[in-house]
C-alpha cells in the first residue's frame, strides 16, 4: 500500500491531492464484512436496527450502547475510506455504524475522479427557474452516489456581497430570496438521490481575502435579513442533512465556535435538524462541539479522544453536548437509510445524462445583456472570425468546485459545427491584438470570447477583464462593426467597449457542454432567457462596499456598514445607475405585461399576498420570460430598501401567446427583522407591489395594506 500523499491546501479543504484517501485493500474474502458496512447482529442485540422506529428513536437507542470513545470517533474525520473521498468518518463495526464518505461538489463531484463538469452554480440562479436548480442537484447527487459518496459539500449558499469575491461563481446571488430558493431546490435534487447535501459556508463567508481570520462585523438585522435568510429558506425548503461552518469570524467569533449562529440561528430559528461539519480546517477549540459543531474535518486535531476527555474533565465541554452532537449525526444517517444500504457502493456514471443536464443549465442560465441586431446569427454569416483563447478552452472556477471533466467541448468546435461546411470559420487566440483585428476585419461576423478567473483562496484584483482582453475587444469592434462578445465569467466585469459592440452574451463558466449550448444560443436554436442574479456595476467604485473598511476590512474586521442595502438595494437607494441591473436579461422575443391584480387589497401580517398578471410574447419566435415581483415596505418603525424581490417564475410562451401568471408573496418577504422583539415582523401599513422583467423595469404596480 502506498503511503498517503502530502496534504495540499485547495478546495474546501485540506485534501490528499485528489482526496483524503488511503488506497483500499484488494477483494474481500467470501463472507467477510466490508469496512463501511454494518456487521451482523440480531435485533434483540441491536434494537436500533428496528426499521419500524423513527430515526430519532433509533439514534437514541444506538447512542445508549456507545462508549465515550465510540462517540468521539463520530465527531471527527479520519483516513481509510474504501473509495476516493475528500472527507471520511470511520465506521464503528462493533455496533454496525457505517462510515461516511464525503466529496466536494457545488459544480459537480470532485473526489479525484472524473465527473460531469456542470456550469458554475451562478448559472442556476441566472435561470430564475428552481426546476433547473433541482435537476442540477439531481445530477450531482446521482453522480455522487455512483462514486460511492454519502455526503456532498454543496450547495454554496452565501451572498454575493462584493463583486470581486473569488467564489461568487459558486454562489447564487446578491439577493437572499433568490439564493435561498435556488439552494433549497438544489438541496432537494441532491437528496432525492439518497445523498446528504451540505449547505455552506455558514456564515457570512463573503470574501476570500483574509478568509481564515477576517471578522464580518454585521448588525443583527442585516445578519438575519441578508446573510442568514438564504440558509433559512434552504433549510425550510430542502431540509439539508448537513451544513458546513466557515473559516471567518462573525462579529469576532469564529463561525465554527459561534453558538449564536450555529445554535440560536441555524437550529432554533431555521429549524435545521442535520449535523454541522467544519471547513478544512476551521475548528479552533474542542469546545466548538458545545457551540454546535458536530464533526471536525479533515482530521482529529482539536476533536479527538484526548482533547475531548480533557475538555470534559475541565468542565468546558458538557457531556450532554457530546451526546447531542452524536445523536444529531446518527439521526441523519438513519434518515438517509445508510444502516440498511451500502452508501459506498459504486456504479458507472451516466455521461450522456450528465452532459444533457450540463447543456440545459448552460442554455437556461445564459444572459443576453445587449443585442443591437447582432444576434441571432443568420444564414448569411458565411465568414466568421472566432477570436480569443476562451473559445478554445472550457472555463471553470478554481478550488473545490473545479471538476475533472468526463468530457468537454469548446465553443470553437461547436461554432464550426453549427456554421456548417459551407461557412468559413477562422480562429485567432487574440495575440497579438493587431493580427486578431485584421482577422476580424476580413470576416462577416466577429465573435470575441472573453473570460475572467475566479477561484477559491483569492479574490479578483478588480472588475476589469484580465490581461489585454478589453483592448482586444475594442480593436476587433473597430475593425468589424458586427462584433458579438461572449463572456465566460463568474460574475460582473466592466465593459468599456460596450458601445462599440453589437451584442453581449454572458455564459458564466458554461460546463461540459458549454460550447454546444453557446452555439445554439448564438444561432437562435435556443432563445436566451437568463436573468442577472447580481448587479453589474458601471465603475469599479460604484459598489455597495466601496471603502477599505467595508472590504476587505481593516485590522482584521470587515465592517458591513451598508447594512441591508446589498446589491440592487444599494443602487436603488442611492440612485446609482448600474451597467446592467439585477434581474436584467434580453431575449430574441419581446414580452409585455398587463392586468396586475391582487386577490385581496389588504390582509393580516400572517397572510401571503396573492398576485396575478398576464405576460404576452409579442415577438416572432417562442421564448421564455422570468417575471419578477418586488415589494416596497412601509418606512414606519424601521428603514427598508426601496424594493426587494418577493417572487419570480419562469414561463415559456409561443409567439403571440398570453398567459396569466400567479405568484404568492409569502409573509417572510414582507417582514423585517425587529431587533427589539428579536424576530421577523410584518409591520402594518401600505406595501407597494411591482411586477416586471428586472429590478429596473417594472411596468405594473399596485398597493397592498397590512392591517393588524
Amino acid at each position: 500500500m502506498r503511503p498517503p500523499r502530502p496534504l495540499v491546501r485547495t478546495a474546501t479543504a485540506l485534501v490528499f491531492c485528489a482526496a483524503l484517501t488511503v488506497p483500499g485493500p484488494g477483494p474481500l474474502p467470501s463472507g467477510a464484512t466490508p469496512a463501511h458496512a454494518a456487521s451482523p447482529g440480531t435485533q434483540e442485540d441491536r434494537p436500533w436496527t428496528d426499521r419500524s422506529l423513527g430515526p430519532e428513536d433509533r439514534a437514541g437507542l444506538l447512542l445508549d450502547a456507545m462508549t465515550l470513545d465510540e462517540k468521539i470517533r463520530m465527531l471527527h474525520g479520519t483516513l481509510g475510506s474504501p473509495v476516493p473521498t475528500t472527507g471520511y468518518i470511520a465506521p464503528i463495526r462493533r455496533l454496525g455504524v457505517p462510515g461516511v464518505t464525503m466529496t466536494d461538489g457545488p459544480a459537480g463531484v470532485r473526489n479525484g475522479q472524473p465527473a460531469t463538469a456542470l456550469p458554475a452554480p451562478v448559472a442556476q440562479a441566472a435561470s430564475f427557474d428552481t426546476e433547473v436548480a433541482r435537476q442540477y442537484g439531481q445530477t450531482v447527487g446521482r453522480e455522487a452516489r455512483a462514486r460511492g459518496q454519502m455526503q456532498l459539500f454543496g450547495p454554496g449558499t452565501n451572498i454575493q456581497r462584493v463583486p470581486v469575491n473569488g467564489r461568487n461563481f459558486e454562489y447564487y446571488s446578491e439577493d437572499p430570496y433568490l439564493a435561498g430558493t435556488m439552494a433549497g431546490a438544489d438541496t432537494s435534487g441532491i437528496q432525492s438521490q439518497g445523498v446528504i447535501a451540505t449547505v455552506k459556508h455558514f456564515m457570512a463567508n463573503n470574501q476570500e481575502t483574509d478568509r481564515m481570520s477576517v471578522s464580518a462585523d454585521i448588525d443583527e438585522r442585516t445578519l438575519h435579513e441578508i446573510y442568514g435568510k438564504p440558509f433559512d429558506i434552504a433549510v425550510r425548503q430542502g431540509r439539508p442533512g448537513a451544513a458546513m461552518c466557515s473559516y471567518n469570524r462573525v462579529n469576532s467569533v469564529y463561525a465554527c465556535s459561534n453558538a449564536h449562529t450555529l445554535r440560536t440561528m441555524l437550529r432554533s430559528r431555521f429549524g435545521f435538524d442535520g449535523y454541522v461539519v467544519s471547513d478544512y480546517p476551521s475548528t479552533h477549540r474542542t469546545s466548538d462541539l458545545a457551540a454546535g459543531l458536530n464533526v471536525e474535518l479533515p482530521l482529529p486535531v482539536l476533536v479527538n479522544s484526548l482533547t475531548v476527555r480533557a475538555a470534559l474533565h475541565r468542565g468546558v465541554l458538557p457531556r450532554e453536548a457530546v451526546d447531542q452532537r452524536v445523536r444529531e449525526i446518527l439521526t441523519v444517517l438513519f434518515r438517509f437509510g445508510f444502516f440498511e444500504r451500502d452508501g459506498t457502493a459504486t456504479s458507472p456514471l451516466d455521461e450522456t445524462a450528465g452532459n444533457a443536464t450540463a447543456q440545459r443549465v448552460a442554455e437556461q442560465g445564459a444572459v443576453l445583456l445587449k443585442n443591437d441586431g447582432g444576434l441571432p446569427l443568420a444564414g448569411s454569416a458565411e465568414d466568421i472570425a472566432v477570436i480569443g483563447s476562451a473559445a478554445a478552452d472550457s472555463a471553470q472556477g478554481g478550488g473545490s468546485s473545479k471538476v475533472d471533466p468526463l468530457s468537454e467541448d469548446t465553443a470553437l468546435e461547436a461554432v464550426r459545427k453549427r456554421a456548417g461546411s459551407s461557412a468559413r470559420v477562422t480562429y485567432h487566440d487574440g495575440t497579438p491584438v493587431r493580427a486578431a483585428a485584421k482577422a476580424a476585419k476580413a470576416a462577416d461576423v466577429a465573435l470575441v470570447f472573453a473570460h475572467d478567473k475566479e477561484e477559491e483562496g483569492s479574490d479578483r484584483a478588480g472588475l476589469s477583464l484580465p490581461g489585454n482582453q478589453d483592448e482586444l475587444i475594442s480593436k476587433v469592434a473597430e475593425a468589424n462593426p458586427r462584433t458579438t462578445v461572449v463572456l465566460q465569467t463568474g460574475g460582473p466585469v466592466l465593459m468599456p467597449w460596450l458601445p462599440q459592440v453589437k451584442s453581449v452574451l454572458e455564459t458564466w463558466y458554461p460546463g461540459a457542454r458549454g460550447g454546444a449550448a453557446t452555439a445554439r444560443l448564438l444561432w437562435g436554436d435556443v432563445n436566451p432567457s437568463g436573468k442577472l442574479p447580481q448587479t453589474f456595476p458601471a465603475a469599479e467604485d460604484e459598489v455597495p462596499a466601496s471603502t477599505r473598511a467595508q472590504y476587505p476590512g481593516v485590522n482584521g474586521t470587515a465592517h458591513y456598514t451598508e447594512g441591508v442595502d446589498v446589491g440592487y438595494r444599494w443602487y436603488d437607494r442611492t440612485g446609482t445607475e448600474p451597467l446592467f441591473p439585477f434581474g436584467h436579461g434580453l431575449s430574441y422575443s419581446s414580452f409585455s405585461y398587463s392586468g396586475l391584480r391582487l386577490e385581496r387589497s389588504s390582509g393580516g401580517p400572517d397572510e401571503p399576498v396573492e398576485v396575478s398578471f398576464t405576460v404576452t410574447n409579442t415577438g416572432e419566435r417562442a421564448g421564455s420570460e422570468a417575471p419578477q415581483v418586488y415589494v416596497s415596505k412601509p418606512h414606519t418603525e424601521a428603514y427598508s430598501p426601496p424594493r426587494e424581490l418577493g417572487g419570480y417564475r419562469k414561463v415559456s410562451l409561443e409567439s403571440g401567446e398570453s398567459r396569466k401568471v400567479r405568484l404568492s408573496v409569502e409573509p417572510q418577504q414582507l417582514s423585517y427583522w425587529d431587533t427589539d422583539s428579536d424576530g421577523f415582523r410584518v409591520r402594518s401599513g401600505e406595501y407597494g407591489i411591482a411586477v416586471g422583467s428586472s429590478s429596473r423595469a417594472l411596468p405594473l404596480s399596485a398597493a397592498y395594506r397590512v392591517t393588524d
Side-chain angles (χ1 to χ4, degrees):
M1 181 180 293
R2 294 176 298 170
R5 297 174 180 176
L7 282 170
V8 177
R9 183 177 300 282
T10 181
T12 310
L14 295 171
V15 297
F16 289 93
C17 275
L20 274 173
T21 302
V22 175
L28 292 165
S30 177
T33 303
H36 53 269
S39 54
T42 65
Q43 188 168 308
E44 290 75 16
D45 297 334
R46 296 177 172 181
W48 56 87
T49 63
D50 184 352
R51 300 189 195 184
S52 68
L53 300 175
E56 295 84 358
D57 292 335
R58 296 177 72 181
L61 291 169
L62 176 52
L63 187 69
D64 290 342
M66 298 177 77
T67 66
L68 178 58
D69 279 339
E70 287 169 336
K71 293 173 184 176
I72 294 170
R73 285 174 60 187
M74 297 294 299
L75 301 175
H76 62 74
T78 188
L79 306 178
S81 169
V83 295
T85 61
T86 52
Y88 181 56
I89 301 174
I92 302 173
R93 296 183 184 86
R94 182 182 76 86
L95 301 173
V97 180
V100 182
T101 51
M102 308 171 183
T103 179
D104 285 320
V109 176
R110 180 187 177 277
N111 72 326
Q113 298 174 289
T116 298
L118 289 159
V122 67
Q124 291 181 55
S127 75
F128 270 65
D129 187 343
T130 53
E131 186 55 34
V132 168
R134 188 171 290 106
Q135 291 175 6
Y136 190 111
Q138 287 171 347
T139 297
V140 178
R142 182 177 66 245
E143 295 196 356
R145 182 163 180 170
R147 290 294 189 212
Q149 307 300 309
M150 300 158 70
Q151 180 175 347
L152 185 133
F153 298 150
T157 312
N158 295 104
I159 288 292
Q160 296 167 334
R161 176 185 179 237
V162 292
V164 295
N165 180 16
R167 300 186 84 166
N168 276 349
F169 73 94
E170 63 177 285
Y171 298 150
Y172 293 117
S173 178
E174 67 189 23
D175 181 80
Y177 178 73
L178 180 60
T181 50
M182 286 290 160
D186 192 322
T187 294
S188 296
I190 293 168
Q191 296 192 161
S192 71
Q193 305 303 302
V195 174
I196 299 168
T198 310
V199 291
K200 64 174 192 174
H201 306 86
F202 193 73
M203 66 177 308
N205 185 186
N206 309 119
Q207 64 188 67
E208 292 299 280
T209 302
D210 300 327
R211 67 171 178 164
M212 305 296 290
S213 59
V214 69
S215 176
D217 187 14
I218 311 173
D219 68 87
E220 197 69 9
R221 180 184 176 191
T222 302
L223 188 67
H224 282 83
E225 285 193 29
I226 303 297
Y227 300 101
K229 183 178 283 188
F231 291 94
D232 187 358
I233 294 172
V235 166
R236 295 178 193 278
Q237 294 188 357
R239 198 189 172 195
M244 176 181 281
C245 51
S246 54
Y247 291 118
N248 58 282
R249 293 177 289 154
V250 180
N251 293 326
S252 300
V253 182
Y254 280 104
C256 293
S257 308
N258 202 313
H260 178 61
T261 56
L262 290 179
R263 291 213 319 261
T264 304
M265 293 183 68
L266 184 62
R267 290 199 183 276
S268 297
R269 290 178 177 154
F270 302 172
F272 177 71
D273 60 358
Y275 59 86
V276 177
V277 301
S278 71
D279 210 332
Y280 286 31
S282 58
T283 46
H284 288 270
R285 57 191 190 189
T286 307
S287 58
D288 286 355
L289 295 172
L293 175 71
N294 294 82
V295 182
E296 179 185 27
L297 294 174
L299 298 171
V301 177
L302 295 170
V303 179
N304 56 57
S305 185
L306 291 176
T307 58
V308 171
R309 286 179 180 276
L312 289 169
H313 180 72
R314 295 197 313 273
V316 297
L317 178 62
R319 181 65 177 262
E320 54 267 26
V322 172
D323 286 352
Q324 183 60 20
R325 298 294 87 82
V326 176
R327 186 192 312 273
E328 288 157 356
I329 300 168
L330 294 174
T331 300
V332 173
L333 300 186
F334 278 118
R335 175 182 145 203
F336 278 79
F338 290 132
F339 283 79
E340 285 74 51
R341 67 177 172 90
D342 180 3
T344 67
T346 61
S347 60
L349 300 190
D350 188 338
E351 183 177 346
T352 300
N355 282 345
T357 299
Q359 182 168 332
R360 179 166 190 265
V361 175
E363 291 173 354
Q364 294 298 309
V367 182
L368 184 60
L369 296 174
K370 175 183 178 178
N371 193 24
D372 285 347
L375 297 176
L377 296 176
S380 59
E382 292 296 317
D383 197 330
I384 303 170
V386 177
I387 297 170
S389 59
D393 197 4
S394 183
Q396 283 195 63
S400 59
S401 290
K402 188 172 179 61
V403 177
D404 181 11
L406 275 171
S407 62
E408 55 187 340
D409 67 359
T410 67
L412 178 58
E413 304 170 343
V415 166
R416 282 175 171 157
K417 183 177 180 179
R418 180 60 183 82
S421 58
S422 62
R424 177 174 176 264
V425 178
T426 59
Y427 169 67
H428 197 287
D429 68 3
T431 55
V433 170
R434 182 176 296 179
K438 184 178 180 180
K441 188 172 185 177
D444 298 328
V445 173
L447 302 177
V448 185
F449 287 77
H451 66 93
D452 71 353
K453 183 181 180 183
E454 287 192 8
E455 59 185 350
E456 179 179 358
S458 63
D459 291 333
R460 288 192 285 161
L463 291 174
S464 296
L465 287 167
N468 68 344
Q469 293 181 97
D470 284 331
E471 180 191 4
L472 172 66
I473 296 169
S474 182
K475 294 298 184 185
V476 167
E478 285 178 9
N480 189 324
R482 294 187 63 193
T483 293
T484 287
V485 176
V486 179
L487 294 173
Q488 296 178 357
T489 70
V493 293
L494 301 179
M495 304 180 197
W497 35 261
L498 185 63
Q500 298 176 266
V501 302
K502 281 287 188 181
S503 307
V504 182
L505 179 68
E506 172 65 81
T507 63
W508 315 106
Y509 300 145
R513 296 289 294 166
T518 299
R520 281 165 53 81
L521 289 158
L522 291 173
W523 265 268
D525 304 327
V526 175
N527 197 341
S529 61
K531 301 284 187 176
L532 286 183
Q534 185 178 15
T535 304
F536 276 41
E540 196 82 46
D541 59 351
E542 292 180 0
V543 293
S546 59
T547 70
R548 182 168 179 78
Q550 291 173 301
Y551 168 81
V554 294
N555 299 322
T557 299
H559 299 273
Y560 285 44
T561 49
E562 71 277 11
V564 296
D565 285 325
V566 176
Y568 66 89
R569 294 163 167 81
W570 179 84
Y571 289 88
D572 290 342
R573 180 180 65 80
T574 60
T576 303
E577 192 67 28
L579 187 64
F580 295 109
F582 175 88
H584 169 76
L586 304 176
S587 168
Y588 299 148
S589 299
S590 56
F591 301 91
S592 66
Y593 289 74
S594 62
L596 175 61
R597 180 178 180 274
L598 305 184
E599 186 174 295
R600 297 184 307 276
S601 60
S602 64
D606 297 327
E607 296 176 286
V609 182
E610 305 294 345
V611 179
S612 66
F613 51 91
T614 298
V615 180
T616 301
N617 183 346
T618 57
E620 296 180 356
R621 63 173 67 206
S624 297
E625 172 70 333
Q628 301 150 47
V629 177
Y630 290 84
V631 175
S632 299
K633 302 171 186 176
H635 290 291
T636 55
E637 303 172 51
Y639 161 81
S640 286
R643 63 185 63 87
E644 300 172 74
L645 184 66
Y648 62 90
R649 180 165 299 161
K650 194 79 163 275
V651 292
S652 297
L653 300 168
E654 297 295 326
S655 174
E657 182 183 2
S658 296
R659 183 173 304 170
K660 179 170 282 190
V661 179
R662 291 181 171 83
L663 285 170
S664 181
V665 180
E666 298 301 320
Q668 185 187 38
Q669 298 310 109
L670 304 176
S671 68
Y672 78 103
W673 181 263
D674 183 2
T675 53
D676 291 336
S677 62
D678 201 33
F680 278 103
R681 190 163 72 82
V682 178
R683 73 198 93 170
S684 58
E686 186 172 288
Y687 289 71
I689 305 296
V691 176
S693 60
S694 81
S695 62
R696 290 288 179 98
L698 300 167
L700 306 181
S701 62
Y704 180 83
R705 176 163 291 277
V706 172
T707 58
D708 290 335

